[in-house]
Amino acid sequence: MAQSEQLEGAGEGEDEKGVTKAKVKNSGDAEAPSPTGNTNQAAQATNKLALYDRLGGQAGISNLVADFTKRALDDPRVNWNRQGVSRGGFSLRKSKSETWNPTPENVAQLQKHMVEFLALATGGPPEYSGKPIEAAHADMHISNPEFDAAVGDLKASLDRLKIPNKEQKELLAIVESTRPQIVTKR
Ligand code: HEM
C-alpha cells in the first residue's frame, strides 16, 4: 500500500500535507540525497535527513511515544479512555461510545501502533499495522479541546526530550493534519 494510503486508511482526502512535507523537503533541491530512499552520508552532509532520523529513528520515536502516551493517558482534559462520554452524555445519548481501558495490553498495542504511525508519517519505515486513523477514533466523540490537550501533552514531551524547535514544528504539523480525521465533535 502506498505510504499516503496507509496513513489515510483509504487513500482519500487531503490530509497528506503534513506527511508529504518532510519528503518534499528531502528531495526538493539539486543536492537531494540519493534516491535509494535510505537516509545516508549524502543526506547527512546536506542536512537533509528525514524527520524520522532527526527524531532519533525508532528509539527516539519510541521514547517520545512512551512519554507522550503516559502524559496523555493521565491527562483528564484528554479523557483518553472516554469515561463518561457514553454514560450520562446529555447530547450523546443516542450514539454509543466505546470506553477504552488502559490495560497493559491495550497501552502496549496503542504505543506500538502510534510508533509505527509516526514512523510512517515522518519518512521512516512504512509498517503501520493499526486501523486507519479515522476508523480507530470513530464513535469516540473526540472534541477540539480534547485534541488540543493531547497536542499540548505531545508538546510537553517534545520539550522534555529536548527535541529542537524545527523538528517539533514539523512533527506538530503532521499531528495537526490528523485533526479532521480524529475530531468528530464540536
Ligand atoms: C483527544 C485526542 C485523542 C484521543 C482521546 C485518542 C484516543 C484513542 C484511543 C482510545 C485509541 C485506542 C483505540 C483502540 O485500540 O481500539 C486510539 C488509538 C490510536 N490513536 Fe488516538 N486519540 C487521540 C488522538 C490521537 C492523535 C493526535 C494521534 C496521532 C496523530 C492518534 C493516533 C492513534 C493511533 C495510531 C492509534 C492506534 C490505532 C490502532 O490500534 O488500530 N490519536 N486513540
Side-chain angles (χ1 to χ4, degrees):
M1 204 192 291
Q3 188 188 45
S4 58
E5 285 178 346
Q6 287 201 26
L7 282 166
E8 291 285 316
E12 57 175 77
E14 53 178 335
D15 293 304
E16 290 165 20
K17 279 169 276 174
V19 175
T20 44
K21 201 170 153 198
K23 287 201 89 186
V24 170
K25 279 194 172 171
N26 286 345
S27 56
D29 66 46
E31 289 177 68
S34 92
T36 59
N38 296 326
T39 48
N40 53 23
Q41 292 293 344
Q44 268 167 342
T46 53
N47 196 22
K48 296 286 181 186
L49 285 171
L51 177 57
Y52 173 79
D53 294 295
R54 287 180 279 128
L55 290 171
Q58 199 65 22
I61 291 182
S62 297
N63 275 342
L64 177 64
V65 166
D67 194 280
F68 163 65
T69 48
K70 182 169 180 355
R71 226 176 260 277
L73 292 174
D74 286 348
D75 185 345
R77 298 171 307 162
V78 177
N79 188 13
W80 196 280
N81 59 13
R82 315 315 292 155
Q83 214 96 56
V85 173
S86 47
R87 294 179 296 150
F90 25 89
S91 60
L92 304 170
R93 235 173 277 139
K94 274 178 277 173
S95 36
K96 114 179 149 67
S97 181
E98 303 278 319
T99 303
W100 183 83
N101 291 316
T103 61
E105 295 76 25
N106 283 348
V107 171
Q109 162 109 329
L110 172 70
Q111 290 177 331
K112 173 177 183 269
H113 287 162
M114 203 174 281
V115 169
E116 290 172 354
F117 180 80
L118 292 178
L120 170 70
T122 55
E127 287 165 4
Y128 181 57
S129 61
K131 289 184 220 143
I133 212 74
E134 192 162 7
H137 299 89
D139 297 328
M140 286 188 199
H141 306 289
I142 295 171
S143 67
N144 274 311
E146 286 168 346
F147 189 91
D148 291 342
V151 170
D153 290 333
L154 177 60
K155 170 83 175 113
S157 293
L158 289 164
D159 286 343
R160 180 171 168 264
L161 295 170
K162 301 197 173 12
I163 306 296
N165 223 355
K166 182 176 186 296
E167 281 68 33
Q168 290 205 14
K169 276 190 171 165
E170 289 178 37
L171 187 68
L172 290 169
I174 288 171
V175 170
E176 185 57 44
S177 77
T178 68
R179 183 187 294 262
Q181 294 166 3
I182 291 179
V183 171
T184 53
K185 182 187 154 203
R186 303 216 157 253

